[in-house]
Amino acid sequence: MIKLKGIPASNGIASGPAYIFHHTEVGVKRETISDPSAELARLEIARNTARDQLKALKKKTETEASAEEAAIFEAHMMFLDDPSLLEIVADAVQTQHLNVEAAWFDGIETFAQQMEMMGDEYLSARAADIRDVGKRVLRILGGKDDTDLSGLAAPSIILAQDLTPSDTARLDKRYVLGFATAEGGPTSHTAILAKALGLPAVVGCGSALLEISAGTEILIHGSQGELVASPDEATKKRYEQLTGEASRVAELELKSSGDHAITKDGRQVEIVANVGSPNDAVSALKYGAEGIGLLRTEFLYLERATAPSEEEQLEAYNAVLNVMGERPVVVRTLDVGGDKQLDYLDLGKEANPFLGWRAIRMCLDRPDFFKTQLRALLRASPGHDLRIMFPMIATLDEVRRSKALLAEARQEVLAAGHPVADKIQVGIMVEIPAAAQMADLFAKEVDFFSVGTNDLTQYTMAAERTSEKMAYLADPCHPAVVRQIKRVIEEGHKAGIWIGVCGEMAGDPEAAPILLGLGLDEFSLAAPGIPHLKAVLREWSYRDAQKIAAEIINLENGQAVREHVRNHKP
Ligand code: PEP
Ligand code: MG
């Protein structure tokens, strides 16, 4: 039996066989070869295998997503057979006696760079596709596994060094019982996705995780951050008991999740969901969400070769709004960069992507690209309570410029003859300390604030949110973070606007009384956590929560804050 301690990322208990997910690195050695035709024959075989893999991927994508998304693999197949690419490669093998791996790599790079140099977004995106095909062939030549998870054919627990948001999106959800990663922090987007899917997850387990072999029996306890491999009988029994108790409590909480969250002394707070796709919106209602407090629109932009059109976006927003009817839906405009990269946008390499050209910063630099999203949102607004939120706001000028582009987009939509709702609330994410400090001025510009505690904690503590080594610093309950939230709520209320929290803190039961006591109006969290959060809030009185919030503000660190809350549970 091996027991590993990691960082809790998503609650719940899971058991099942291990599936090892690894990114395959393809290093290319340069060698001189003596038999060019044998070398080219190896390439022929590898290309045939690649073609088979791409056909299978295309079919899978057609059934699980759409024909449109599957078309990308058709394009990959065309690159695979491109006559001029094959000519360059054959020439290098025959005349320079270069091994086929190096010749193929050079050919792919020449092609990709030519596309990039044309300075066109569409062609730059093609360059990424060419490299993708190139790597596929190199992996096959090197006899290495693909990372497309096609081997995942039975319910399993995924063990990985780390999972990027796009890896996670590509997993076949029917077969994923939970995740555990060697790296990663509690608010990485992978952890967020696990929460949204209601899958138990533990991150930051350390490199020992990668020594576990495929098929080993695994137990994970999400909220404890525990992973057990090859458990003994006693441990299995303990987990079975825990699972039984947890599911009984969860069942009771789910039964009352349709009721409001009202404290013992009558204060009602709004409980809404964080969603990342139209499907999430459907399950949000089942868990008792009273609306959507954060629609992360990145789902429309990730995992594809070109940006989504206005019509395509309109369809997706309509899908979410139709599910939610007249309930409030806060849509956050695109937030890419940081740990979410888009090949077709050519965001460039940055030394510190989390401090870089991310979210609103990139959107304001590309007004036409940004306005496509704004127009789609405005067109989706009639008959709904759609609210628009700008992410990563640091300055007043950014808010004003965003609002000006929204006004321009409104004129364009009206001029094209489409109706737009009269009143659309506009808000900002408060997730950069500069915005928290200046909350009094920002409050005059917007209808609401939503505090993004994931980034606010990362930037306040200077602790990258994806790093397991920094996880000890990344606690939103640290008074350095809580003091800023307090200020944001006070200044917002003075100006008469409402304030929500949409970072992971909103779904943390230990943080709940603090946020309640500070006077928060809205909690937005991954939907599967809603029934439990409502149950926790109903146990508190607003008066006691206010007292707790006032007491913890002068404590030294996050641990002391959490201990204080635990010791004063009602
Ligand atoms: C946050 O930063 O708290 C937030 C909700 O946004 P994201 O996690 O998508 O960066
Ligand atoms: Mg954020």
Side-chain angles (χ1 to χ4, degrees):
M1 181 167 92
I2 306 166
K3 215 184 237 185
L4 297 179
K5 190 83 193 132
I7 302 160
S10 174
N11 292 349
I13 293 168
S15 67
Y19 182 90
I20 318 294
F21 174 93
H22 41 85
H23 290 276
T24 314
E25 286 303 320
V26 273
V28 174
K29 273 200 201 130
R30 294 188 168 266
E31 284 163 0
T32 307
I33 48 97
S34 53
D35 186 351
S37 42
E39 203 65 5
L40 288 172
R42 283 178 55 222
L43 178 62
E44 185 68 23
I45 296 168
R47 281 178 45 239
N48 289 341
T49 310
R51 199 174 299 106
D52 290 344
Q53 288 179 353
L54 289 165
K55 272 188 200 151
L57 273 176
K58 181 171 174 246
K59 212 161 149 208
K60 181 170 182 276
T61 314
E62 268 164 2
T63 37
E64 286 177 11
S66 66
E68 203 176 343
E69 300 208 29
I72 176 80
F73 298 113
E74 188 69 50
H76 280 203
M77 283 188 254
M78 276 166 61
F79 292 133
L80 200 59
D81 294 330
D82 189 289
S84 36
L85 169 67
L86 295 177
E87 205 178 303
I88 302 178
V89 177
D91 189 53
V93 173
Q94 278 156 349
T95 58
Q96 299 166 37
H97 286 229
L98 195 58
N99 59 325
V100 77
E101 284 87 351
W104 175 257
F105 178 80
D106 291 350
I108 289 283
E109 269 308 301
T110 312
F111 250 58
Q113 282 168 18
Q114 275 169 5
M115 297 254 177
E116 276 171 344
M117 270 166 13
M118 307 217 187
D120 175 286
E121 257 179 40
Y122 178 81
L123 291 176
S124 295
R126 299 280 72 77
D129 286 329
I130 291 176
R131 290 199 174 99
D132 205 351
V133 178
K135 280 193 193 151
R136 178 176 298 282
V137 172
L138 288 172
R139 277 196 301 268
I140 297 168
L141 283 168
K144 291 184 174 159
D145 280 348
D146 194 4
T147 53
D148 74 2
L149 286 159
S150 47
L152 181 60
S156 309
I157 293 183
I158 310 293
L159 308 187
Q161 173 89 21
D162 199 5
L163 288 167
T164 66
S166 37
D167 293 332
T168 321
R170 276 162 53 217
L171 293 170
D172 184 341
K173 310 297 176 313
R174 287 172 305 166
Y175 298 139
V176 183
L177 299 167
F179 302 98
T181 59
E183 296 174 2
T187 59
S188 61
H189 285 96
T190 298
I192 291 171
L193 206 96
K195 271 195 199 137
L197 294 168
L199 290 171
V202 181
V203 297
C205 295
S207 54
L209 181 79
L210 303 169
E211 280 157 30
I212 297 171
S213 38
T216 307
E217 187 178 358
I218 302 286
L219 301 174
I220 54 176
H221 193 315
S223 57
Q224 298 286 316
E226 183 179 84
L227 177 141
V228 186
S230 311
D232 58 20
E233 282 309 312
T235 311
K236 273 198 228 174
K237 262 230 157 67
R238 181 165 67 84
Y239 266 73
E240 271 162 29
Q241 271 167 2
L242 286 171
T243 312
E245 277 162 38
S247 59
R248 272 190 297 280
V249 172
E251 214 173 293
L252 284 176
E253 290 176 346
L254 192 60
K255 269 198 187 135
S256 57
S257 68
D259 302 338
H260 291 302
I262 302 175
T263 61
K264 281 183 174 159
D265 49 355
R267 181 176 171 85
Q268 182 182 334
V269 286
E270 211 178 338
I271 309 293
V272 290
N274 288 353
V275 302
S277 73
N279 278 347
D280 285 356
V282 178
S283 75
L285 288 183
K286 282 194 257 171
Y287 287 113
E290 295 156 17
I292 289 174
L294 169 64
L295 170 64
R296 288 185 167 96
T297 55
E298 292 79 66
F299 75 94
L300 278 164
Y301 292 80
L302 295 170
E303 285 295 287
R304 49 186 295 149
T306 53
S309 67
E310 184 177 319
E311 297 301 323
E312 194 181 333
Q313 294 195 45
L314 174 64
E315 201 178 305
Y317 303 142
N318 276 337
V320 175
L321 288 162
N322 289 340
V323 170
M324 301 311 289
E326 290 180 0
R327 295 177 184 86
V329 174
V330 178
V331 181
R332 178 178 74 184
T333 61
L334 183 63
D335 179 1
V336 284
D339 62 345
K340 291 173 282 193
Q341 293 295 321
L342 291 186
D343 289 339
Y344 58 87
L345 272 187
D346 194 13
L347 296 171
K349 282 251 172 298
E350 293 177 302
N352 296 295
F354 278 117
L355 301 183
W357 201 45
R358 204 190 138 177
I360 203 72
R361 304 165 176 194
M362 184 273 289
C363 286
L364 287 172
D365 283 347
R366 296 193 167 180
D368 291 333
F369 169 80
F370 189 29
K371 276 200 293 180
T372 304
Q373 178 170 42
L374 298 177
R375 281 194 305 270
L377 284 169
L378 293 167
R379 284 175 61 187
S381 65
H384 300 285
D385 185 358
L386 170 77
R387 304 169 181 190
I388 296 178
M389 172 159 78
F390 301 119
M392 289 288 290
I393 293 287
T395 69
L396 287 151
D397 181 57
E398 286 167 347
V399 184
R400 293 182 186 134
R401 282 165 61 206
S402 303
K403 280 168 50 182
L405 286 175
L406 185 61
E408 267 179 40
R410 178 183 277 269
Q411 287 316 317
E412 289 166 12
V413 170
L414 291 173
H418 303 293
V420 177
D422 288 338
K423 175 66 193 156
I424 295 178
Q425 289 192 20
V426 173
I428 57 166
M429 301 241 352
V430 178
E431 52 186 343
I432 296 183
Q437 294 298 340
M438 306 278 279
D440 48 338
L441 300 188
F442 280 101
K444 297 192 179 111
E445 299 285 335
V446 291
D447 302 304
F448 66 91
F449 287 151
S450 186
V451 185
T453 50
N454 304 336
D455 279 314
L456 186 61
T457 307
Q458 147 164 281
Y459 298 130
T460 300
M461 305 303 288
E464 199 174 297
R465 59 194 272 185
T466 51
S467 160
E468 82 276 15
K469 289 196 187 71
M470 300 302 118
Y472 79 101
L473 286 170
D475 188 351
C477 285
H478 194 292
V481 181
V482 178
R483 286 179 188 204
Q484 293 181 79
I485 302 174
K486 180 173 186 283
R487 179 173 166 73
V488 171
I489 296 176
E490 283 170 359
E491 294 300 338
H493 282 172
K494 265 192 227 163
I497 66 172
W498 65 266
I499 297 97
V501 164
C502 63
E504 297 315 286
M505 186 186 195
D508 180 341
E510 278 174 6
I514 301 173
L515 296 175
L516 174 71
L518 291 175
L520 192 76
D521 303 293
E522 181 231 53
F523 292 68
S524 190
L525 61 153
I530 288 179
H532 184 56
L533 180 73
K534 283 189 173 180
V536 169
L537 290 168
R538 289 184 195 121
E539 283 173 7
W540 282 87
S541 71
Y542 182 42
R543 195 148 19 110
D544 287 345
Q546 280 178 308
K547 195 161 161 274
I548 289 286
E551 285 162 0
I552 59 95
I553 215 83
N554 292 314
L555 296 178
E556 280 183 13
N557 54 41
Q559 277 144 294
V561 169
R562 288 179 183 278
E563 217 170 285
H564 191 78
V565 173
R566 279 197 288 269
N567 291 338
H568 290 80
K569 261 191 183 164

